[in-house]
Structure formats: structure tokens, C-alpha cells
Amino acid sequence: QALNISSELLRARTVVHSLTQSLRSLDQSPLDKASWFDLMQRAVAYASNGIVITDPTQPNNPIIYVNPAFERITGYTAEEVLNRNCRFLQGEEREQLARYQLNTAIQKKQDCHVILQNFRKDGTPFWNDLYITPIHDLEGNLTHFLGIQNDITEQKTIQDSLQRQENDLRIILQSMVDGLVVVNQDGDVIFANQAAEKLFNRPATELLGQSLGIPVTVNSQAEIDIYRPGLKPIWVDFVCNEIIWQGAPAYLISLRELTERRQVYDALTRLPNRVLFNERLQHVIDLSQRHSHCHFALLFIDLDRFKVINDSLGHRAGDQLLSRFALRIQHQLRASDMLARLSGDEFAILLEELSHIDDVTQVAERINTALTKPFALEGREVFTSASIGIALGRPDLKHPGDLIREADTAMYRAKAKGGACYAIFDQEMHYQAMLRLQLETDLRYAIERQELKVHYQPLIALTSNRLVGLEALLRWHHPQKGLISPEQFIPIAEETGLIIPIGQYVLLQACQQVESWLKQALLPFPFTISVNLSGKQLSNPQLATQILKVLSEIGLDPHYLQLEITESLLMENPTAATSIFQDLEASSIRLAMDDFGTGYSSLSYLRRFPVHTLKIDRSFTHRLGTQDEDLEIIQTIVSLAHSLKMDVIAEGVENEAQLCHLKAIGCDIGQGFLFAKALDPQNTANFLRQKQTQTA
Ligand code: C2E
Ligand code: CA
Ligand code: CA
């Protein structure tokens, strides 16, 4: 559609030239005059250009000839225009520069090419591409003016609208707040708007043809600092897209200054962080709200036992594991899937454009298969696996947080199944989550409503069958739900921080109770009251002071108290634990290692802590007599513990056979349903009395 005025002009000139040449050489022509006229007349009649001839020798330079094309273009018949001056075509519009040029040319008897607005007979305007030339006779006298015109209205309309569009776009580009730069495929700037000039502190003229020195990769988004002469570098958020610019492939780069650097990438793994992940997730949610066919899913990945690896091999190895892990997962994904590190050992994947749920589970399976191979960390082979929670995008989930929460819940389900697997969020989980939330609320009131009661389970010396201690075990008498197991509510208490007041409560209750039984002379000697500690309590540096304060207020001698902590707790927090235990040891409070055998610690490791008692986990006791290896394991533990001067308690003694084995091995103390369940204070007192009469 491009308008090519110069070629039109060339054509017009050639026509005129050959015409005048022909008129001049009429005499030398091999044709006779009549034939010539006939030829010319036909050429003129069929030409698509309008042709008009005027007679400047007459006062008004009247039209003496127009061809059919002129009639077609202007709508006037030849009769209507003959003997009139051409001016009638020009309408009332006086201000056209083209007209002035035309009139001057006529006065000066020169040729002239103009584009001017004319009017048809019906009054509609049209754009006339007009070429006029004077014609002279053989003596050189001006005899005629020949005008050749072309109706270019259509082309001009198109050209004008293109021009307007270009102007509009230019205004928009220039007034954008974002810096916009177009670079060609060599990376040289071919356009820069005003905001870009400001950002780079250089006029566009200086930027053109230059390379910006920023990475140009398609669809990339990054935070970069740009060099600016005379000014400090600034952080910009930068997005690069492929475009066609003036017919050639190019890149459009938009740059936005960041007031403060927004950290959107994780420094360790170089993966997008939570901020960027949330943004992308929000975007995908918005898209799917508008287009119901956009299916997407979120995978929440948590490394199994990462903490143990991190604590035993050190942070450097832990970091290495995280970045290798990230890399390995990335290999299982398509380029369009987004893998992000949300925190510590938590990762998330956003899968878009899914056609089937299998697409999601396959990714989860691929990840776990990829993790069956070990990682080489600092010369060691380390195995890890992942628990993966899957949440599928749904129309009612409008916030990234909703989806992440569901995937997180499903992840916990996978973890509860033992890890190295995936779970898909479903309504049942939602129900469980709601139930848990309700429980959490109820637990907040449980203390003040006195629904929490401490029960006591006897510890029995195996050889003498004497009672040597009690373990304080918490019970929750829920007004609607009845008795709730500590296995259910202690984790909630830990997560919500409620374990701190609850732990204080148990300690106070147990110590007061023991003090009162002591007064009633119900307790044997020696005697210990065991109280469980949770991880949250251990991370409280005031713990030792608080415990000692409780004891002194009640007036109970500290050597009656034994604190139980699990070995995994100790592993998680070895430094904090060490200092607390040193304080406690100094005041002769005893320490027991609970659930021994379920974690990763070794006895030699335990040596570093002032542990007095080892409690073998009830899963070992349970298998006693069924597998010879377990007998051997317990045997080994018992002799090692004895060599370290620790007492050994076997948990979960349920039958005589187990008791028999334990006695044979040399285990010191037993605890379990065979002797008694955890009893309420009243029944505990009865049990104590019964024991007294037995041994008396
Ligand atoms: P734990 O410290 O290992 O406590 C021993 C658990 O074994 C108790 O479960 C007890 O009732 C159970 N048990 C005792 N004898 C037998 C037996 O012969 N067979 C079987 N199968 N089980 C037996 P319980 O009372 O349900 O407590 C569960 C866990 O909750 C405890 O495990 C402890 O980790 C936690 N817990 C209970 N009370 C407290 C508390 O006051 N503070 C803290 N931090 N944790 C507590
Ligand atoms: Ca315990
Ligand atoms: Ca235990």
C-alpha cells in the first residue's frame, strides 16, 4: 500500500516527454499527420491519468481539452469544463501551499509537480497528484499547458492514517513511565524513549547504535544494575520480549527502576524465591479465572530428614545438598515449569497448561526416582528423599496462599506416610485441617478451663520389682471430644508455642504432686519424677532458671526431677541443649534420653551430654522375642550404656515374655502396661500404697 509519488511522477514525465517529442517530430515522422493524431488521441483517451490541456495565449488560460479519465475523476463532462479556468476544481480553500506553487509555475511558465486537494462535481474532495508542463511551438512560443493528474485520495488516506498511528504510538512510547529500548539482533539500540534516556542519563541520540551492556535474553526477567555516566548504578526490573520492529526481528526491553532492590531470587540456588513464586502463581490464578481451560497445579516439596543431615555434616554440606537437589529437580521439569525455593528445605513447583492429573503425579514420581541416587557431598554419599504435596488449581482458590496451604497440608500427609512419596490434597485433608484448627483454638482455652490433667505411669526396677519413679504424661479431657491423646495435641502445642505454658503447667503439677506424696510418705527412696520436654522449650534460654524457680517455690529437692528429651531434639539443637544441661547438671537434675533408637545419634555422641538414663523406644521392646537381632541390639545398647554409667529403661513392656528377655539382658528399669498404664493422681496414689505393702 506504500505510496510511491516519485515513480508516479517519473511515469507522468515520460508520458509528457514522449508526447512533446512526438508533437515536435511530427514533420519527420514516417506516419502522416492524420495517423499521428489518431494514435495520440487513442493513447490519451485510454490513459488512466486525467489529462487536461489549457491555452495560456487566451486571457483566462481556459481548458481546451480533457480526456475521459479526467471526466471520470472529477465527475464533470468535457462540455461542462471547456473554456473554463482550472481553478474551479480547487474549491474555496485558499490556504494551500500547493496552489501557490502551481500558480507561480504557471505565471513563470515552468513545469511543476504538486499534490493538492481538489473537489469533484458532487463536492467531495479528492487528492490530485498533478503534473503540469508548458508546451512550446517550434519557434519556442508558449502555446499550451499540459496537465496530467492522478487521483491518489485512497493512497493518501491510508498514508495519513498510518502517519497518525505512528504519531500516536510515538506519543505513547514517549510518555511511558517505564524505560523502553528496542535493540536489534546485534544488541545495538535502535530506539529509546524519554524514560530510557532518563534512566541511562543519556539522550537517545547517544544511545542509538550503542550496546546497553545488559543481558538480552528472550522472556527473561531480572534485576540488574545499569551503568550510567556520572551517576550511581541503579537496580532495575527488566523484561525482554521478542518483537518485529520496522520489519526486522528485534527485542523490546522495558526497564523499571526499583526504589529498593527487591530480592526475588534465592542466593544459594539461584531459583526464584517466595516473592517471585507468589507473583507468578497469582498471575496464573488470574489467568485461569478468565479462561476456564487453564489447568495448573502446585507441588510443595520438603526434604526428608534435611535437618539431621545439616546438623551432622555441617551447614556447608547442607547448602551443597540444597543446590544439587534444586538442580536435580530442575532436570525433571519443562522449561515453562517454575521451580522456586520457598524457605530452608522447602521448594515449590508451579506446573501450568496441564491436560491431565497424571501430568502432575508423573512429575512427583520422576522427582522421587531422581532422588534414589545418592548425592556426593564432601567425599560422602548422602541419600535423601522428598515428601511432595500436590494441590490442584480450583476456581474457588483465588489467592496464592490458599493453594500453598493446601499443598503444604498434602505434604504433611506424605511426610506422615514416611516420606519419599507424594500426596494429593483432597477434601478429607481439608476437613482434617479444619479439625486441627478447631483443636488449636480449643487447646488455647484448655489450660484455663483446667481440661489438662497430668497422669503418672510407674517405672519399675526389673530385678526387685520395686517402684523407682513415675513419668508425668499429660491428658486432655476435651468437653466434647473426650480424652485426646498427647500424640495429637502436643505437636499442635509445639507449633503454636502453647507448649511453653503447657510445659510449665506439667512441671508445676508434677512437682507439687510429688511434694504432696512425699509429705504423705507414699514414695520410696530413691525416687524420680520424669517430665517430658519438647524442642520449643529447649530453645528457651531461660529454661533452666525457670525450672529451678518452680522447684524452689514448691520446695522440692532438684535431685527428684528427671527431664526426658528425645534424641532427635538433642540433635536438632545441640549447642542450646549443651548449655541448658550444664546448668541443670550443676543443680543435680537428671537427664533421660527418650525414644532411644529411633533417631540417628550414637551412644558415643551422647557422651557429650550429661545423660543419666537411656529409654529404649517401645518399638524395640515390642519386637523382643520375635526377632533375635532386636535382642542383640538391646543387649548392645544396655552394655554400652552401662559402660557409660547410664541406667537403661525399657519402654512399652506389655507381657511377661518381654520382661523375661529384658531381665536376662540386664536392663535396669521397665515401664509399660504390664505394670500399669498412666494413672490419674487418685489411682497413682492407690498404686503407690499397693507397692508399699508389697515391698514391706
Ligand atoms: P513418650 O514420652 O514416649 O511417653 C510414653 C508413651 O508410651 C505414653 O504415651 C505412654 O502412655 C505410652 N506407653 C506406656 N506404656 C506402654 C505400653 O506398654 N505399650 C504401649 N503401646 N504404649 C505405652 P502417651 O501418654 O500417649 O504420650 C505420648 C507422647 O506424648 C509421649 O511419648 C511424649 O512424647 C508426649 N507427651 C506426653 N505428655 C507430655 C508432656 O507433658 N510434655 C511433653 N513435652 N510431651 C508429652
Ligand atoms: Ca517420655
Ligand atoms: Ca518414649
Side-chain angles (χ1 to χ4, degrees), residues 4-17 113 129 131:
N4 200 331
I5 294 173
S6 51
S7 77
E8 285 289 326
L9 176 61
L10 205 68
R11 217 170 57 215
R13 272 184 207 270
T14 324
V15 170
V16 172
H17 182 75
H113 175 227
D129 179 355
Y131 177 65

Side-chain angles (χ1 to χ4, degrees), residues 3-45:
L3 173 71
N4 200 331
I5 294 173
S6 51
S7 77
E8 285 289 326
L9 176 61
L10 205 68
R11 217 170 57 215
R13 272 184 207 270
T14 324
V15 170
V16 172
H17 182 75
S18 53
L19 221 93
T20 38
Q21 283 302 103
S22 311
L23 287 172
R24 276 194 190 131
S25 57
L26 213 54
D27 286 343
Q28 298 116 46
S29 164
L31 292 173
D32 59 46
K33 237 179 193 162
S35 305
W36 250 110
F37 266 119
D38 184 45
L39 187 78
M40 284 299 124
Q41 227 163 12
R42 268 193 283 162
V44 165

Side-chain angles (χ1 to χ4, degrees), residues 608-623:
R608 295 165 45 185
F609 304 96
V611 175
H612 305 87
T613 310
L614 212 63
K615 296 188 76 170
I616 298 174
D617 189 69
R618 57 182 178 275
S619 58
F620 286 98
T621 316
H622 196 73
R623 294 198 299 261

Side-chain angles (χ1 to χ4, degrees), residues 12 208 221 262 283 312 328 331 385 391 419 493 587 597 624 667 694:
L208 294 182
Q221 179 168 22
R262 222 172 33 121
H283 175 72
S312 47
R328 215 182 263 186
H331 279 306
S385 56
S587 51
L624 264 186
C667 182
Q694 244 178 44

Side-chain angles (χ1 to χ4, degrees), residues 164-220:
R164 263 199 308 277
Q165 274 179 25
E166 198 184 317
N167 278 342
D168 292 350
L169 283 177
R170 201 162 281 273
I171 290 169
I172 292 171
L173 286 179
Q174 289 299 1
S175 55
M176 293 283 276
V177 184
D178 285 355
L180 293 175
V181 174
V182 179
V183 301
N184 62 18
Q185 295 209 300
D186 299 329
D188 298 333
V189 175
I190 50 178
F191 171 83
N193 73 349
Q194 284 169 5
E197 291 179 316
K198 240 195 255 167
L199 274 178
F200 287 96
N201 197 31
R202 279 191 282 179
T205 47
E206 268 185 40
L207 289 169
L208 294 182
Q210 300 286 310
S211 160
L212 291 180
I214 54 180
V216 176
T217 9
V218 185
N219 285 331
S220 56

